[in-house]
Amino acid sequence: MGAVTSTAPSPGFPDSSLLDLAPVIPVVIVHDVADAVPMARALVAGGLPAIEVTFRTPAAADAIRAIAEEVPDAVVGAGTVLSPEHVETAVAAGARFLVTPGWTDRLLGALDASGLPFLPGVSTTSEVVALLERGVEEMKFFPAEAAGGTAYLKALASPLPRARFCPTGGVNASNAAGYLALPNVGCVGGTWMLPSDALAAGDWARVESLSRQAAALRD
């Protein structure tokens, strides 16, 4: 396949990339669409505008649509994108970026055809090199901790300096700063600002507070 790029322009993005919007991209699993808008507002108020809503529940597309329509300061994207059909659904719902846990040529073609910024998932050096050959320089490193963590990414920085990553999977409040200190990490993805008890209680003030702490990781 021809060269593709993960940095297509999108309104509201900085000139450089999705990875520069904030130090943390919240990875969100929405079970009840009614939670999507207040949750997004709390994340944005805390300084985390890029929000990845994962295709892990039937509510995902409607949640993306609600956030896109009602939270203008949010940059909402779709995660756990596994197929061209997921890409179509995400675009139709108003997603502004796409994230995958892994990639195939077919999926990569659909991501590129969407015109949206995207982060294809990688966990091996060969996958990184294959994407660099295709012109993709920004990737999701997943599952980050299980795949080698900061030591693995540090080892990639010298031989593969063009590759930049958003590590996700096992990244939390205690280890996020270690990832963000690496020269090839633009941001991290995580869920720690969305504890299950706060979501169950609709405690959006707590979500906002935890988001503010996460956003300050790169101050």
Side-chain angles (χ1 to χ4, degrees), residues 26-46 48 51-54 63 67 71 74 193-195 198-199 202-205 207-208 211:
V27 180
V28 176
I29 301 173
V30 178
H31 295 279
D32 186 345
V33 175
D35 291 336
V37 168
M39 177 175 56
R41 286 174 175 157
L43 292 169
V44 171
L48 302 179
I51 301 169
E52 177 188 335
V53 178
T54 62
I67 295 170
V71 191
M193 71 296 301
L194 297 161
L199 298 182
D203 189 352
W204 309 121
V207 171
E208 180 179 340
S211 298

PDB file of all heavy atoms in Angstrom, residues 26-46 48 51-54 63 67 71 74 193-195 198-199 202-205 207-208 211:
ATOM      1  N   PRO A  26      -7.455  10.547  28.348  1.00  0.00           N
ATOM      2  CA  PRO A  26      -8.292   9.615  29.098  1.00  0.00           C
ATOM      3  C   PRO A  26      -8.874   8.554  28.171  1.00  0.00           C
ATOM      4  O   PRO A  26      -9.358   8.868  27.078  1.00  0.00           O
ATOM      5  CB  PRO A  26      -9.404  10.507  29.666  1.00  0.00           C
ATOM      6  CG  PRO A  26      -8.847  11.893  29.609  1.00  0.00           C
ATOM      7  CD  PRO A  26      -7.953  11.927  28.415  1.00  0.00           C
ATOM      8  N   VAL A  27      -8.798   7.316  28.603  1.00  0.00           N
ATOM      9  CA  VAL A  27      -9.355   6.193  27.844  1.00  0.00           C
ATOM     10  C   VAL A  27     -10.664   5.810  28.517  1.00  0.00           C
ATOM     11  O   VAL A  27     -10.676   5.309  29.645  1.00  0.00           O
ATOM     12  CB  VAL A  27      -8.376   5.010  27.811  1.00  0.00           C
ATOM     13  CG1 VAL A  27      -8.978   3.853  27.026  1.00  0.00           C
ATOM     14  CG2 VAL A  27      -7.044   5.443  27.187  1.00  0.00           C
ATOM     15  N   VAL A  28     -11.761   6.049  27.816  1.00  0.00           N
ATOM     16  CA  VAL A  28     -13.085   6.021  28.434  1.00  0.00           C
ATOM     17  C   VAL A  28     -13.907   4.838  27.930  1.00  0.00           C
ATOM     18  O   VAL A  28     -13.975   4.584  26.728  1.00  0.00           O
ATOM     19  CB  VAL A  28     -13.833   7.338  28.109  1.00  0.00           C
ATOM     20  CG1 VAL A  28     -15.245   7.309  28.645  1.00  0.00           C
ATOM     21  CG2 VAL A  28     -13.057   8.536  28.658  1.00  0.00           C
ATOM     22  N   ILE A  29     -14.526   4.138  28.853  1.00  0.00           N
ATOM     23  CA  ILE A  29     -15.507   3.098  28.521  1.00  0.00           C
ATOM     24  C   ILE A  29     -16.858   3.592  29.020  1.00  0.00           C
ATOM     25  O   ILE A  29     -17.065   3.730  30.228  1.00  0.00           O
ATOM     26  CB  ILE A  29     -15.155   1.753  29.179  1.00  0.00           C
ATOM     27  CG1 ILE A  29     -13.763   1.285  28.730  1.00  0.00           C
ATOM     28  CG2 ILE A  29     -16.197   0.694  28.837  1.00  0.00           C
ATOM     29  CD1 ILE A  29     -13.272   0.044  29.468  1.00  0.00           C
ATOM     30  N   VAL A  30     -17.758   3.894  28.103  1.00  0.00           N
ATOM     31  CA  VAL A  30     -19.061   4.448  28.465  1.00  0.00           C
ATOM     32  C   VAL A  30     -20.122   3.359  28.407  1.00  0.00           C
ATOM     33  O   VAL A  30     -20.354   2.763  27.358  1.00  0.00           O
ATOM     34  CB  VAL A  30     -19.460   5.609  27.525  1.00  0.00           C
ATOM     35  CG1 VAL A  30     -20.841   6.134  27.895  1.00  0.00           C
ATOM     36  CG2 VAL A  30     -18.425   6.724  27.592  1.00  0.00           C
ATOM     37  N   HIS A  31     -20.761   3.105  29.548  1.00  0.00           N
ATOM     38  CA  HIS A  31     -21.856   2.128  29.601  1.00  0.00           C
ATOM     39  C   HIS A  31     -23.209   2.805  29.449  1.00  0.00           C
ATOM     40  O   HIS A  31     -24.141   2.217  28.898  1.00  0.00           O
ATOM     41  CB  HIS A  31     -21.797   1.347  30.914  1.00  0.00           C
ATOM     42  CG  HIS A  31     -20.570   0.502  31.038  1.00  0.00           C
ATOM     43  ND1 HIS A  31     -20.456  -0.740  30.445  1.00  0.00           N
ATOM     44  CD2 HIS A  31     -19.396   0.721  31.685  1.00  0.00           C
ATOM     45  CE1 HIS A  31     -19.264  -1.251  30.717  1.00  0.00           C
ATOM     46  NE2 HIS A  31     -18.608  -0.388  31.473  1.00  0.00           N
ATOM     47  N   ASP A  32     -23.324   4.024  29.970  1.00  0.00           N
ATOM     48  CA  ASP A  32     -24.577   4.769  29.930  1.00  0.00           C
ATOM     49  C   ASP A  32     -24.327   6.091  29.211  1.00  0.00           C
ATOM     50  O   ASP A  32     -23.529   6.910  29.666  1.00  0.00           O
ATOM     51  CB  ASP A  32     -25.072   5.020  31.355  1.00  0.00           C
ATOM     52  CG  ASP A  32     -26.448   5.670  31.406  1.00  0.00           C
ATOM     53  OD1 ASP A  32     -26.909   6.191  30.369  1.00  0.00           O
ATOM     54  OD2 ASP A  32     -27.055   5.653  32.492  1.00  0.00           O
ATOM     55  N   VAL A  33     -24.999   6.290  28.085  1.00  0.00           N
ATOM     56  CA  VAL A  33     -24.788   7.504  27.294  1.00  0.00           C
ATOM     57  C   VAL A  33     -25.042   8.765  28.119  1.00  0.00           C
ATOM     58  O   VAL A  33     -24.419   9.802  27.894  1.00  0.00           O
ATOM     59  CB  VAL A  33     -25.689   7.488  26.042  1.00  0.00           C
ATOM     60  CG1 VAL A  33     -25.569   8.794  25.269  1.00  0.00           C
ATOM     61  CG2 VAL A  33     -25.323   6.314  25.149  1.00  0.00           C
ATOM     62  N   ALA A  34     -25.921   8.674  29.111  1.00  0.00           N
ATOM     63  CA  ALA A  34     -26.217   9.839  29.947  1.00  0.00           C
ATOM     64  C   ALA A  34     -24.984  10.338  30.692  1.00  0.00           C
ATOM     65  O   ALA A  34     -24.934  11.509  31.098  1.00  0.00           O
ATOM     66  CB  ALA A  34     -27.334   9.504  30.929  1.00  0.00           C
ATOM     67  N   ASP A  35     -23.985   9.481  30.879  1.00  0.00           N
ATOM     68  CA  ASP A  35     -22.766   9.890  31.590  1.00  0.00           C
ATOM     69  C   ASP A  35     -21.764  10.591  30.684  1.00  0.00           C
ATOM     70  O   ASP A  35     -20.835  11.245  31.171  1.00  0.00           O
ATOM     71  CB  ASP A  35     -22.074   8.658  32.198  1.00  0.00           C
ATOM     72  CG  ASP A  35     -22.859   8.044  33.344  1.00  0.00           C
ATOM     73  OD1 ASP A  35     -23.657   8.767  33.959  1.00  0.00           O
ATOM     74  OD2 ASP A  35     -22.654   6.850  33.612  1.00  0.00           O
ATOM     75  N   ALA A  36     -21.924  10.449  29.383  1.00  0.00           N
ATOM     76  CA  ALA A  36     -20.883  10.892  28.465  1.00  0.00           C
ATOM     77  C   ALA A  36     -20.604  12.387  28.553  1.00  0.00           C
ATOM     78  O   ALA A  36     -19.439  12.808  28.652  1.00  0.00           O
ATOM     79  CB  ALA A  36     -21.262  10.515  27.030  1.00  0.00           C
ATOM     80  N   VAL A  37     -21.643  13.195  28.501  1.00  0.00           N
ATOM     81  CA  VAL A  37     -21.450  14.644  28.476  1.00  0.00           C
ATOM     82  C   VAL A  37     -20.910  15.180  29.798  1.00  0.00           C
ATOM     83  O   VAL A  37     -19.908  15.920  29.808  1.00  0.00           O
ATOM     84  CB  VAL A  37     -22.745  15.357  28.057  1.00  0.00           C
ATOM     85  CG1 VAL A  37     -22.659  16.856  28.305  1.00  0.00           C
ATOM     86  CG2 VAL A  37     -23.022  15.089  26.574  1.00  0.00           C
ATOM     87  N   PRO A  38     -21.501  14.847  30.962  1.00  0.00           N
ATOM     88  CA  PRO A  38     -20.915  15.373  32.206  1.00  0.00           C
ATOM     89  C   PRO A  38     -19.494  14.874  32.445  1.00  0.00           C
ATOM     90  O   PRO A  38     -18.654  15.612  32.985  1.00  0.00           O
ATOM     91  CB  PRO A  38     -21.881  14.891  33.292  1.00  0.00           C
ATOM     92  CG  PRO A  38     -22.669  13.792  32.673  1.00  0.00           C
ATOM     93  CD  PRO A  38     -22.751  14.097  31.227  1.00  0.00           C
ATOM     94  N   MET A  39     -19.215  13.646  32.060  1.00  0.00           N
ATOM     95  CA  MET A  39     -17.856  13.129  32.202  1.00  0.00           C
ATOM     96  C   MET A  39     -16.892  13.921  31.320  1.00  0.00           C
ATOM     97  O   MET A  39     -15.814  14.332  31.769  1.00  0.00           O
ATOM     98  CB  MET A  39     -17.804  11.652  31.818  1.00  0.00           C
ATOM     99  CG  MET A  39     -16.422  11.046  31.862  1.00  0.00           C
ATOM    100  SD  MET A  39     -16.459   9.267  31.536  1.00  0.00           S
ATOM    101  CE  MET A  39     -17.281   9.239  29.952  1.00  0.00           C
ATOM    102  N   ALA A  40     -17.268  14.147  30.070  1.00  0.00           N
ATOM    103  CA  ALA A  40     -16.405  14.909  29.166  1.00  0.00           C
ATOM    104  C   ALA A  40     -16.191  16.325  29.677  1.00  0.00           C
ATOM    105  O   ALA A  40     -15.071  16.856  29.610  1.00  0.00           O
ATOM    106  CB  ALA A  40     -17.003  14.922  27.767  1.00  0.00           C
ATOM    107  N   ARG A  41     -17.236  16.946  30.188  1.00  0.00           N
ATOM    108  CA  ARG A  41     -17.091  18.297  30.718  1.00  0.00           C
ATOM    109  C   ARG A  41     -16.122  18.329  31.891  1.00  0.00           C
ATOM    110  O   ARG A  41     -15.322  19.269  32.028  1.00  0.00           O
ATOM    111  CB  ARG A  41     -18.454  18.837  31.127  1.00  0.00           C
ATOM    112  CG  ARG A  41     -19.336  19.220  29.930  1.00  0.00           C
ATOM    113  CD  ARG A  41     -20.731  19.625  30.358  1.00  0.00           C
ATOM    114  NE  ARG A  41     -21.517  20.100  29.206  1.00  0.00           N
ATOM    115  CZ  ARG A  41     -22.837  20.103  29.155  1.00  0.00           C
ATOM    116  NH1 ARG A  41     -23.546  19.660  30.205  1.00  0.00           N
ATOM    117  NH2 ARG A  41     -23.462  20.546  28.084  1.00  0.00           N
ATOM    118  N   ALA A  42     -16.167  17.316  32.737  1.00  0.00           N
ATOM    119  CA  ALA A  42     -15.252  17.262  33.878  1.00  0.00           C
ATOM    120  C   ALA A  42     -13.814  17.065  33.421  1.00  0.00           C
ATOM    121  O   ALA A  42     -12.891  17.698  33.947  1.00  0.00           O
ATOM    122  CB  ALA A  42     -15.672  16.129  34.815  1.00  0.00           C
ATOM    123  N   LEU A  43     -13.603  16.211  32.427  1.00  0.00           N
ATOM    124  CA  LEU A  43     -12.254  15.981  31.909  1.00  0.00           C
ATOM    125  C   LEU A  43     -11.692  17.254  31.280  1.00  0.00           C
ATOM    126  O   LEU A  43     -10.543  17.626  31.525  1.00  0.00           O
ATOM    127  CB  LEU A  43     -12.285  14.852  30.873  1.00  0.00           C
ATOM    128  CG  LEU A  43     -12.607  13.456  31.407  1.00  0.00           C
ATOM    129  CD1 LEU A  43     -12.877  12.490  30.254  1.00  0.00           C
ATOM    130  CD2 LEU A  43     -11.473  12.930  32.282  1.00  0.00           C
ATOM    131  N   VAL A  44     -12.505  17.921  30.476  1.00  0.00           N
ATOM    132  CA  VAL A  44     -12.057  19.153  29.824  1.00  0.00           C
ATOM    133  C   VAL A  44     -11.771  20.234  30.864  1.00  0.00           C
ATOM    134  O   VAL A  44     -10.756  20.944  30.784  1.00  0.00           O
ATOM    135  CB  VAL A  44     -13.107  19.633  28.807  1.00  0.00           C
ATOM    136  CG1 VAL A  44     -12.765  21.026  28.292  1.00  0.00           C
ATOM    137  CG2 VAL A  44     -13.204  18.654  27.638  1.00  0.00           C
ATOM    138  N   ALA A  45     -12.640  20.367  31.847  1.00  0.00           N
ATOM    139  CA  ALA A  45     -12.433  21.371  32.896  1.00  0.00           C
ATOM    140  C   ALA A  45     -11.143  21.117  33.664  1.00  0.00           C
ATOM    141  O   ALA A  45     -10.501  22.055  34.149  1.00  0.00           O
ATOM    142  CB  ALA A  45     -13.625  21.391  33.853  1.00  0.00           C
ATOM    143  N   GLY A  46     -10.765  19.844  33.766  1.00  0.00           N
ATOM    144  CA  GLY A  46      -9.525  19.496  34.451  1.00  0.00           C
ATOM    145  C   GLY A  46      -8.287  19.632  33.582  1.00  0.00           C
ATOM    146  O   GLY A  46      -7.176  19.406  34.057  1.00  0.00           O
ATOM    147  N   LEU A  48      -7.918  18.131  30.325  1.00  0.00           N
ATOM    148  CA  LEU A  48      -7.678  16.987  29.431  1.00  0.00           C
ATOM    149  C   LEU A  48      -8.703  17.011  28.296  1.00  0.00           C
ATOM    150  O   LEU A  48      -9.741  16.346  28.362  1.00  0.00           O
ATOM    151  CB  LEU A  48      -7.776  15.667  30.207  1.00  0.00           C
ATOM    152  CG  LEU A  48      -6.819  15.507  31.395  1.00  0.00           C
ATOM    153  CD1 LEU A  48      -7.049  14.156  32.067  1.00  0.00           C
ATOM    154  CD2 LEU A  48      -5.362  15.660  30.956  1.00  0.00           C
ATOM    155  N   ILE A  51     -10.235  13.102  24.391  1.00  0.00           N
ATOM    156  CA  ILE A  51     -10.940  12.026  25.092  1.00  0.00           C
ATOM    157  C   ILE A  51     -11.149  10.860  24.140  1.00  0.00           C
ATOM    158  O   ILE A  51     -11.777  11.012  23.090  1.00  0.00           O
ATOM    159  CB  ILE A  51     -12.303  12.525  25.615  1.00  0.00           C
ATOM    160  CG1 ILE A  51     -12.109  13.716  26.559  1.00  0.00           C
ATOM    161  CG2 ILE A  51     -13.059  11.397  26.305  1.00  0.00           C
ATOM    162  CD1 ILE A  51     -13.404  14.427  26.919  1.00  0.00           C
ATOM    163  N   GLU A  52     -10.620   9.708  24.494  1.00  0.00           N
ATOM    164  CA  GLU A  52     -10.754   8.503  23.676  1.00  0.00           C
ATOM    165  C   GLU A  52     -11.896   7.638  24.210  1.00  0.00           C
ATOM    166  O   GLU A  52     -11.791   7.056  25.288  1.00  0.00           O
ATOM    167  CB  GLU A  52      -9.448   7.701  23.687  1.00  0.00           C
ATOM    168  CG  GLU A  52      -9.518   6.391  22.929  1.00  0.00           C
ATOM    169  CD  GLU A  52      -8.282   5.531  23.125  1.00  0.00           C
ATOM    170  OE1 GLU A  52      -7.197   6.084  23.423  1.00  0.00           O
ATOM    171  OE2 GLU A  52      -8.398   4.300  22.977  1.00  0.00           O
ATOM    172  N   VAL A  53     -12.987   7.587  23.467  1.00  0.00           N
ATOM    173  CA  VAL A  53     -14.126   6.739  23.838  1.00  0.00           C
ATOM    174  C   VAL A  53     -13.969   5.410  23.113  1.00  0.00           C
ATOM    175  O   VAL A  53     -13.967   5.362  21.879  1.00  0.00           O
ATOM    176  CB  VAL A  53     -15.462   7.399  23.458  1.00  0.00           C
ATOM    177  CG1 VAL A  53     -16.625   6.477  23.801  1.00  0.00           C
ATOM    178  CG2 VAL A  53     -15.618   8.739  24.169  1.00  0.00           C
ATOM    179  N   THR A  54     -13.837   4.329  23.854  1.00  0.00           N
ATOM    180  CA  THR A  54     -13.516   3.048  23.249  1.00  0.00           C
ATOM    181  C   THR A  54     -14.758   2.311  22.753  1.00  0.00           C
ATOM    182  O   THR A  54     -15.821   2.373  23.369  1.00  0.00           O
ATOM    183  CB  THR A  54     -12.784   2.146  24.249  1.00  0.00           C
ATOM    184  OG1 THR A  54     -13.637   1.888  25.370  1.00  0.00           O
ATOM    185  CG2 THR A  54     -11.508   2.801  24.740  1.00  0.00           C
ATOM    186  N   ALA A  63     -22.162   7.896  22.568  1.00  0.00           N
ATOM    187  CA  ALA A  63     -21.390   8.725  23.494  1.00  0.00           C
ATOM    188  C   ALA A  63     -20.494   9.696  22.736  1.00  0.00           C
ATOM    189  O   ALA A  63     -20.393  10.879  23.092  1.00  0.00           O
ATOM    190  CB  ALA A  63     -20.557   7.843  24.420  1.00  0.00           C
ATOM    191  N   ILE A  67     -20.846  13.828  22.948  1.00  0.00           N
ATOM    192  CA  ILE A  67     -19.729  14.686  23.334  1.00  0.00           C
ATOM    193  C   ILE A  67     -19.394  15.664  22.212  1.00  0.00           C
ATOM    194  O   ILE A  67     -19.162  16.851  22.447  1.00  0.00           O
ATOM    195  CB  ILE A  67     -18.503  13.832  23.708  1.00  0.00           C
ATOM    196  CG1 ILE A  67     -18.796  12.998  24.963  1.00  0.00           C
ATOM    197  CG2 ILE A  67     -17.273  14.719  23.928  1.00  0.00           C
ATOM    198  CD1 ILE A  67     -17.742  11.952  25.270  1.00  0.00           C
ATOM    199  N   VAL A  71     -20.130  19.181  23.895  1.00  0.00           N
ATOM    200  CA  VAL A  71     -18.941  19.635  24.624  1.00  0.00           C
ATOM    201  C   VAL A  71     -17.944  20.172  23.600  1.00  0.00           C
ATOM    202  O   VAL A  71     -17.020  19.474  23.180  1.00  0.00           O
ATOM    203  CB  VAL A  71     -18.317  18.493  25.450  1.00  0.00           C
ATOM    204  CG1 VAL A  71     -17.246  19.052  26.414  1.00  0.00           C
ATOM    205  CG2 VAL A  71     -19.377  17.739  26.243  1.00  0.00           C
ATOM    206  N   ALA A  74     -14.129  19.787  23.855  1.00  0.00           N
ATOM    207  CA  ALA A  74     -13.552  18.444  23.854  1.00  0.00           C
ATOM    208  C   ALA A  74     -13.101  18.071  22.451  1.00  0.00           C
ATOM    209  O   ALA A  74     -13.702  18.464  21.456  1.00  0.00           O
ATOM    210  CB  ALA A  74     -14.574  17.425  24.357  1.00  0.00           C
ATOM    211  N   MET A 193      -7.959   8.744  36.122  1.00  0.00           N
ATOM    212  CA  MET A 193      -8.757   9.918  36.490  1.00  0.00           C
ATOM    213  C   MET A 193     -10.260   9.620  36.429  1.00  0.00           C
ATOM    214  O   MET A 193     -11.084  10.498  36.670  1.00  0.00           O
ATOM    215  CB  MET A 193      -8.393  11.111  35.609  1.00  0.00           C
ATOM    216  CG  MET A 193      -8.835  11.042  34.160  1.00  0.00           C
ATOM    217  SD  MET A 193      -8.083   9.696  33.198  1.00  0.00           S
ATOM    218  CE  MET A 193      -6.344  10.090  33.348  1.00  0.00           C
ATOM    219  N   LEU A 194     -10.599   8.369  36.128  1.00  0.00           N
ATOM    220  CA  LEU A 194     -11.995   7.934  36.014  1.00  0.00           C
ATOM    221  C   LEU A 194     -12.245   6.706  36.884  1.00  0.00           C
ATOM    222  O   LEU A 194     -12.625   5.642  36.389  1.00  0.00           O
ATOM    223  CB  LEU A 194     -12.315   7.603  34.550  1.00  0.00           C
ATOM    224  CG  LEU A 194     -12.220   8.775  33.561  1.00  0.00           C
ATOM    225  CD1 LEU A 194     -12.089   8.255  32.142  1.00  0.00           C
ATOM    226  CD2 LEU A 194     -13.443   9.667  33.699  1.00  0.00           C
ATOM    227  N   PRO A 195     -12.031   6.817  38.198  1.00  0.00           N
ATOM    228  CA  PRO A 195     -12.239   5.652  39.067  1.00  0.00           C
ATOM    229  C   PRO A 195     -13.689   5.189  39.038  1.00  0.00           C
ATOM    230  O   PRO A 195     -14.615   6.003  38.932  1.00  0.00           O
ATOM    231  CB  PRO A 195     -11.842   6.161  40.459  1.00  0.00           C
ATOM    232  CG  PRO A 195     -11.929   7.644  40.373  1.00  0.00           C
ATOM    233  CD  PRO A 195     -11.625   8.014  38.953  1.00  0.00           C
ATOM    234  N   ALA A 198     -16.244   6.758  41.428  1.00  0.00           N
ATOM    235  CA  ALA A 198     -16.639   8.128  41.088  1.00  0.00           C
ATOM    236  C   ALA A 198     -17.635   8.131  39.937  1.00  0.00           C
ATOM    237  O   ALA A 198     -18.611   8.902  39.938  1.00  0.00           O
ATOM    238  CB  ALA A 198     -15.407   8.957  40.730  1.00  0.00           C
ATOM    239  N   LEU A 199     -17.403   7.267  38.952  1.00  0.00           N
ATOM    240  CA  LEU A 199     -18.334   7.190  37.828  1.00  0.00           C
ATOM    241  C   LEU A 199     -19.700   6.691  38.285  1.00  0.00           C
ATOM    242  O   LEU A 199     -20.742   7.206  37.874  1.00  0.00           O
ATOM    243  CB  LEU A 199     -17.775   6.261  36.745  1.00  0.00           C
ATOM    244  CG  LEU A 199     -16.452   6.684  36.105  1.00  0.00           C
ATOM    245  CD1 LEU A 199     -16.065   5.692  35.016  1.00  0.00           C
ATOM    246  CD2 LEU A 199     -16.544   8.092  35.533  1.00  0.00           C
ATOM    247  N   GLY A 202     -21.502   9.420  39.971  1.00  0.00           N
ATOM    248  CA  GLY A 202     -21.625  10.673  39.237  1.00  0.00           C
ATOM    249  C   GLY A 202     -20.847  11.795  39.896  1.00  0.00           C
ATOM    250  O   GLY A 202     -21.251  12.962  39.854  1.00  0.00           O
ATOM    251  N   ASP A 203     -19.717  11.440  40.503  1.00  0.00           N
ATOM    252  CA  ASP A 203     -18.893  12.419  41.211  1.00  0.00           C
ATOM    253  C   ASP A 203     -17.958  13.099  40.208  1.00  0.00           C
ATOM    254  O   ASP A 203     -16.750  12.823  40.152  1.00  0.00           O
ATOM    255  CB  ASP A 203     -18.098  11.721  42.313  1.00  0.00           C
ATOM    256  CG  ASP A 203     -17.376  12.702  43.227  1.00  0.00           C
ATOM    257  OD1 ASP A 203     -17.364  13.915  42.909  1.00  0.00           O
ATOM    258  OD2 ASP A 203     -16.801  12.260  44.248  1.00  0.00           O
ATOM    259  N   TRP A 204     -18.502  14.008  39.433  1.00  0.00           N
ATOM    260  CA  TRP A 204     -17.736  14.654  38.377  1.00  0.00           C
ATOM    261  C   TRP A 204     -16.715  15.634  38.933  1.00  0.00           C
ATOM    262  O   TRP A 204     -15.695  15.908  38.276  1.00  0.00           O
ATOM    263  CB  TRP A 204     -18.678  15.323  37.385  1.00  0.00           C
ATOM    264  CG  TRP A 204     -19.746  14.384  36.910  1.00  0.00           C
ATOM    265  CD1 TRP A 204     -21.099  14.535  37.022  1.00  0.00           C
ATOM    266  CD2 TRP A 204     -19.558  13.112  36.263  1.00  0.00           C
ATOM    267  NE1 TRP A 204     -21.767  13.454  36.492  1.00  0.00           N
ATOM    268  CE2 TRP A 204     -20.841  12.564  36.021  1.00  0.00           C
ATOM    269  CE3 TRP A 204     -18.437  12.389  35.870  1.00  0.00           C
ATOM    270  CZ2 TRP A 204     -21.021  11.334  35.405  1.00  0.00           C
ATOM    271  CZ3 TRP A 204     -18.609  11.153  35.258  1.00  0.00           C
ATOM    272  CH2 TRP A 204     -19.889  10.645  35.028  1.00  0.00           C
ATOM    273  N   ALA A 205     -16.948  16.145  40.131  1.00  0.00           N
ATOM    274  CA  ALA A 205     -15.962  17.026  40.759  1.00  0.00           C
ATOM    275  C   ALA A 205     -14.671  16.265  41.039  1.00  0.00           C
ATOM    276  O   ALA A 205     -13.563  16.797  40.872  1.00  0.00           O
ATOM    277  CB  ALA A 205     -16.528  17.612  42.052  1.00  0.00           C
ATOM    278  N   VAL A 207     -13.652  13.598  39.343  1.00  0.00           N
ATOM    279  CA  VAL A 207     -13.053  13.363  38.030  1.00  0.00           C
ATOM    280  C   VAL A 207     -12.290  14.596  37.571  1.00  0.00           C
ATOM    281  O   VAL A 207     -11.166  14.503  37.058  1.00  0.00           O
ATOM    282  CB  VAL A 207     -14.134  12.964  37.002  1.00  0.00           C
ATOM    283  CG1 VAL A 207     -13.559  12.935  35.586  1.00  0.00           C
ATOM    284  CG2 VAL A 207     -14.742  11.604  37.354  1.00  0.00           C
ATOM    285  N   GLU A 208     -12.880  15.760  37.764  1.00  0.00           N
ATOM    286  CA  GLU A 208     -12.202  16.997  37.372  1.00  0.00           C
ATOM    287  C   GLU A 208     -10.919  17.198  38.167  1.00  0.00           C
ATOM    288  O   GLU A 208      -9.883  17.588  37.609  1.00  0.00           O
ATOM    289  CB  GLU A 208     -13.134  18.194  37.582  1.00  0.00           C
ATOM    290  CG  GLU A 208     -12.493  19.518  37.205  1.00  0.00           C
ATOM    291  CD  GLU A 208     -13.426  20.707  37.388  1.00  0.00           C
ATOM    292  OE1 GLU A 208     -14.661  20.512  37.445  1.00  0.00           O
ATOM    293  OE2 GLU A 208     -12.908  21.850  37.476  1.00  0.00           O
ATOM    294  N   SER A 211      -8.311  14.819  36.972  1.00  0.00           N
ATOM    295  CA  SER A 211      -7.873  15.237  35.641  1.00  0.00           C
ATOM    296  C   SER A 211      -6.890  16.395  35.736  1.00  0.00           C
ATOM    297  O   SER A 211      -5.901  16.458  34.990  1.00  0.00           O
ATOM    298  CB  SER A 211      -9.083  15.651  34.794  1.00  0.00           C
ATOM    299  OG  SER A 211      -9.974  14.571  34.615  1.00  0.00           O
TER     300      SER A 211
END
